[in-house]
Amino acid sequence: MQIITSTQNKRIKERAKLLKKKKRDQTGCFLIEGSHMIQEALRAQVLDELYVVEGSSLSIDFPQIICTQPVINRLSQQKSDAKYIGVCHKKINTEKDVKRVLLLDDVQDPGNVGTIFRTAYSFGYDKIFLSKHCADVYNPKTIQSTQGSLFHLDFAYVDLVDTIQKLQKQNMQIFGSALHKNSQSLQDITVPKTFGIVLGHEGHGIHEAILDLCDQWVHIEMDQFESLNVAVAAAILCYEMRYNK
């Protein structure tokens, strides 16, 4: 069994570079942490390498490279000691018919993007379209927040204007989440069989050009605050529009 004891090991130094977006983009690879993420990556057939801290092991049928704690920590962004690090390759998304999608307009926080992925996958949405200025899906914080859903849910970085227009030509109705005077309450809208939900930037919301393209604007009715965290809003919209038609 291979054992790596030095943080200056050539392979470890190369893998540590995957903590940077530039290297992830160049190689098409990224790092994951934790037993749950490892198992989800293996199930999705995207796991390429597995590094395990000495004294631990995972009960999975996959080669495990044993490392000292300092070596594992070099590949981790956790503040506490990590145990399992995986190297994965980015999966190729499939072109398939979609009925329910989310469109993210410049959502900046990696935790928000990751949580939205987890929500969309949990409620059976088919795909997420992200504007090119959204947080990086393969950022370690985003990956951790997805809890493995990014391995199973199709997504793409796109020009949202073009994508919305293409979806509308396929008879998909697009709803923009906005606190606008002409928006309708969530409880009052009629949800079609195929639809997309646009969610905007944490600070300024959806760009006007994107809002103008939406077929309908919708807001979540509240008693106190006017707005919610974008990931929380996404969860409410995803659930209500998926199940409470």
Side-chain angles (χ1 to χ4, degrees), residues 77-202:
Q77 285 201 332
Q78 294 185 29
K79 293 182 180 179
S80 57
D81 289 340
K83 289 186 177 181
Y84 314 109
I85 302 288
V87 178
C88 300
H89 61 270
K90 298 178 182 180
K91 69 185 182 75
I92 299 174
N93 288 313
T94 57
E95 291 296 328
K96 62 181 182 181
D97 292 335
V98 292
K99 294 183 178 181
R100 293 174 291 271
V101 303
L102 296 185
L103 303 103
L104 307 187
D105 183 18
D106 290 4
V107 178
Q108 297 290 292
D109 184 81
N112 284 336
V113 171
T115 301
I116 291 170
F117 265 72
R118 185 178 180 181
T119 295
Y121 181 62
S122 297
F123 293 143
Y125 283 67
D126 302 308
K127 190 163 186 172
I128 295 182
F129 295 98
L130 303 97
S131 69
K132 295 177 182 178
H133 296 293
C134 280
D136 179 18
V137 171
Y138 295 105
N139 177 297
K141 292 181 180 178
T142 313
I143 292 172
Q144 207 64 30
S145 296
T146 70
Q147 284 296 295
S149 58
L150 87 160
F151 299 131
H152 311 295
L153 181 65
D154 276 357
F155 65 92
Y157 283 88
V158 298
D159 181 306
L160 284 187
V161 171
D162 289 345
T163 298
I164 289 172
Q165 291 173 337
K166 288 177 182 177
L167 292 172
Q168 288 171 327
K169 287 179 181 178
Q170 298 168 15
N171 297 317
M172 178 175 285
Q173 191 166 343
I174 304 300
F175 294 84
S177 175
L179 293 170
H180 195 282
K181 64 179 181 180
N182 294 323
S183 67
Q184 286 189 276
S185 296
L186 178 57
Q187 64 181 353
D188 294 332
I189 65 171
T190 299
V191 182
K193 289 183 178 180
T194 63
F195 62 88
I197 306 170
V198 184
L199 297 149
H201 182 279
E202 290 88 343

Side-chain angles (χ1 to χ4, degrees), residues 12-21 23-24:
I12 296 301
K13 289 170 71 174
E14 282 300 308
R15 300 301 180 265
K17 292 177 182 178
L18 294 174
L19 293 169
K20 302 294 184 181
K21 185 179 185 300
K23 192 66 174 180
R24 295 195 295 268

Side-chain angles (χ1 to χ4, degrees), residues 31-51:
L31 299 175
I32 60 173
E33 302 188 32
S35 60
H36 173 72
M37 295 295 291
I38 298 293
Q39 290 166 351
E40 290 298 318
L42 184 61
R43 186 159 70 94
Q45 299 182 332
V46 296
L47 184 64
D48 296 331
E49 296 176 356
L50 174 56
Y51 298 88

Side-chain angles (χ1 to χ4, degrees), residues 227-242:
S227 63
L228 295 168
N229 168 275
V230 65
V232 174
I236 295 171
L237 289 163
C238 281
Y239 177 79
E240 289 291 333
M241 295 180 70
R242 170 66 174 85

